[in-house]
Amino acid sequence: MSSSFVSKPLVSVYVLAMVAMQLPFMQSVLSLNQTNEYLNHICIKGEGTAKGSSYEGSVRRVIDHMSTTDLDYGFVNGAGSDGPTKIYAKIQCRADASESKCRTCVATAFSEIRRKCPNHKGRIIWYDNCLLDISSIYTLGEIDYRHIFNMYNTKDVSGNTMMFNKKTRALLYALKEKAISKKELPYRRDYLYSAGEESLGTTKLYAMVQCTKDLTAKNCSVCLDWIMAKLPKCCNGKQGGRVLTPSCNFRYELYPFVKT
Ligand SMILES: *[C@@H]1O[C@H](CO)[C@@H](O)[C@H](O)[C@H]1NC(C)=O
Ligand SMILES: *[C@@H]1O[C@H](CO)[C@@H](O)[C@H](O)[C@H]1NC(C)=O
């Protein structure tokens, strides 16, 4: 966990200033190296809240039903309603998460998002191992351009930052090409997912990209291009970083963080 904690007071002040600067437009989280870490959540105000006590029960039935299906594929979507209010949900687990890890993650995600956004018709929560997206609006297959955030490793790279940034971009783009070329394998867990590494002399760069499986390969590419364009802003010269949305995400670090 050394990446998350900075001990020298001078450095901390610098780090806090950086975080404060980023907060108005993107939420940043310092800790990047835990297994199935909670990352972020959004209670979508625009969709409103449901009145009455039956709503949470209806959402639970949709999620419970989804959770009893085969999660080995790593993606499942479901639908239901509570009176006139529609309920749509999607779950995407990271491709290297086993079915049992995926199931545990979804259970945690659901109980947390219920607590954090009670009665919200729209709510999204991200963990390392899974994403849970609940909405009253049908958006399956669409790229969600509204909900985006980033995280970065507080450590700066030493040496040539420009070269490091260039290599990071190149690796992420190569992984994107690999992820979207799996068109013929739509029922595999690693569909629209790819992870890899690249030697940087004495160190190694590790990265992954993933889209939710409701996207087409074309839209996965569009989504990843969009978030990768945020690289200079989110993680310039940082030893690790990620940009996440409900449709796609990427991450890179100087240490391995996915199971191969
Ligand atoms: C992060 O986790 C990986 C794998 O668990 C470990 O090898 C690595 O040393 C950790 N890195 C930091 C900076 O804590
Ligand atoms: C691709 O994404 C766009 C934007 O979200 C959406 O309107 C469109 O329906 C998607 N295309 C397909 C083929 O699913």
Side-chain angles (χ1 to χ4, degrees):
M1 286 308 311
S2 57
S3 67
S4 315
F5 299 103
V6 183
S7 52
K8 288 184 192 132
L10 259 179
V11 181
S12 310
V13 170
Y14 168 70
V15 167
L16 287 175
M18 280 289 307
V19 172
M21 262 169 53
Q22 296 242 352
L23 273 176
F25 39 98
M26 279 184 176
Q27 173 165 348
S28 303
V29 183
L30 298 178
S31 170
L32 288 178
N33 201 26
Q34 289 165 3
T35 50
N36 202 31
E37 190 189 352
Y38 158 80
L39 305 179
N40 196 13
H41 77 277
I42 297 173
C43 311
I44 303 170
K45 293 204 177 72
E47 287 190 39
T49 53
K51 308 253 182 315
S53 56
S54 69
Y55 178 73
E56 284 297 347
S58 301
V59 176
R60 174 170 283 287
R61 276 190 292 282
V62 172
I63 302 298
D64 281 351
H65 183 71
M66 289 164 72
S67 303
T68 57
T69 61
D70 183 6
L71 282 175
D72 189 46
Y73 173 47
F75 175 84
V76 52
N77 64 287
S81 59
D82 182 63
T85 304
K86 300 275 184 261
I87 299 163
Y88 300 104
K90 77 174 177 183
I91 292 165
Q92 176 68 66
C93 287
R94 206 166 74 182
D96 64 322
S98 65
E99 181 168 11
S100 77
K101 272 200 172 156
C102 177
R103 210 174 284 287
T104 308
C105 186
V106 171
T108 308
F110 184 53
S111 73
E112 276 303 298
I113 199 66
R114 264 169 71 99
R115 213 171 49 75
K116 290 177 193 291
C117 312
N119 280 338
H120 276 78
K121 293 182 193 171
R123 36 180 138 165
I124 312 166
I125 189 162
W126 289 261
Y127 281 81
D128 265 341
N129 284 337
C130 67
L131 157 84
L132 173 63
D133 183 339
I134 298 169
S135 175
S136 57
I137 303 161
Y138 184 83
T139 56
L140 212 68
E142 291 176 19
I143 301 166
D144 185 333
Y145 287 108
R146 288 157 305 170
H147 307 110
I148 177 167
F149 68 100
N150 78 327
M151 297 171 69
Y152 59 85
N153 190 317
T154 52
K155 282 197 213 149
D156 290 319
V157 294
S158 52
N160 190 332
T161 304
M162 258 170 67
M163 184 57 76
F164 179 82
N165 290 345
K166 206 175 148 194
K167 290 219 161 164
T168 304
R169 213 163 35 238
L171 177 57
L172 287 170
Y173 274 99
L175 292 176
K176 179 196 86 167
E177 290 303 325
K178 220 163 131 192
I180 65 172
S181 70
K182 296 176 182 174
K183 286 197 196 79
E184 70 282 11
L185 308 166
Y187 298 108
R188 277 180 40 169
R189 203 191 293 173
D190 65 353
Y191 177 59
L192 302 185
Y193 167 87
S194 181
E197 57 192 63
E198 167 84 30
S199 170
L200 297 176
T202 53
T203 54
K204 251 186 187 171
L205 178 64
Y206 300 84
M208 63 136 276
V209 303
Q210 182 167 32
C211 297
T212 58
K213 288 195 178 78
D214 53 320
L215 297 196
T216 58
K218 176 77 184 48
N219 264 354
C220 177
S221 177
V222 171
C223 190
L224 288 172
D225 282 342
W226 166 54
I227 61 171
M228 285 177 200
K230 312 274 181 206
L231 258 175
K233 204 167 169 182
C234 84
C235 344
N236 184 28
K238 295 293 174 191
Q239 287 188 9
R242 13 180 166 179
V243 174
L244 300 103
T245 80
S247 307
C248 65
N249 73 88
F250 72 75
R251 181 178 184 185
Y252 75 89
E253 299 287 353
L254 287 178
Y255 57 82
F257 59 91
V258 295
K259 271 221 205 81
T260 42

